[in-house]
Amino acid sequence: MPLDAFEARLTFIELLRRLNASVQSATKCAQFALRYQDLSEDLYSCILEELDKTSLNARINILYFLETLCENSIRTGYEEYVEMVTRDLWEILDKVVPPAQGALANVALARKALDNLKQKSIITSENYDGVVAMLSERGKLVSQEEFQTQKELPSFSKEEILRRMEEDRERHKRMRENIWVIPPGDAMQIEFENAWETTSSLDEDDYELMREENAILEQASR
């Protein structure tokens, strides 16, 4: 039986609150969002609301869920969620790494999530560069504030710490798997772009090497 908008919101919020670092958890939540894509704006607003309310650990889980949601959206040909995430990327990262005590723990994982989104061509290089710059500045700000107020840092329970450690291990496992993922698009073009980004600029040593090789080639052709 189809759910109405109110019931769908309640169910989706419950799924968001049960998110952990596992692929199964994120996939189940993404499948629900796509099943009720006619309510996409309502369901997406639930994500932003939960990012305001939930713990810092849970915000990281939601961020990595968004990666799964975008992947599945592209796979099914429904890219409205991708468009909304791209549009609100700055706001999302501002919530995941807020200017608050304790947020420093989320900086590195948030950066890795952005790397994944870029690698999979979910966000553009322009989107990526702008948000990474913001994230870097936020990390410096939070680090400085936490250093100055060490005695006032919020304490985390043993259960929260152990859960975060377990979820971080799960995320690192997924990251290793993502190394082998080829983003959608023309394979030769992707390979060219990767080579372009990782190749250093020409310098005087390169020109000297080319002159030497040209001289050798010229002598060999005589």
Side-chain angles (χ1 to χ4, degrees), residues 41-107:
E41 291 188 7
D42 280 335
L43 298 182
Y44 180 74
S45 69
C46 293
I47 297 172
L48 297 182
E49 290 169 9
E50 284 302 303
L51 282 172
D52 281 327
K53 299 176 183 178
T54 194
S55 68
L56 290 170
N57 286 352
R59 295 180 196 196
I60 280 291
N61 289 333
I62 292 176
L63 178 60
Y64 277 81
F65 151 69
L66 288 174
E67 177 188 339
T68 301
L69 176 61
C70 289
E71 282 187 284
N72 282 272
S73 295
I74 292 171
R75 193 174 296 122
T76 59
Y78 180 79
E79 299 193 17
E80 188 167 339
Y81 285 119
V82 179
E83 294 171 0
M84 288 188 281
V85 169
T86 301
R87 180 195 67 202
D88 298 332
L89 194 58
W90 189 290
E91 179 183 357
I92 290 168
L93 269 294
D94 184 54
K95 295 175 187 292
V96 173
V97 187
Q101 294 178 359
L104 189 60
N106 283 359
V107 173

Side-chain angles (χ1 to χ4, degrees), residues 6-22:
F6 179 72
E7 292 173 323
R9 281 179 61 91
L10 291 180
T11 303
F12 190 58
I13 289 172
E14 185 63 28
L15 289 171
L16 289 173
R17 291 176 179 175
R18 292 181 181 179
L19 274 174
N20 54 47
S22 71

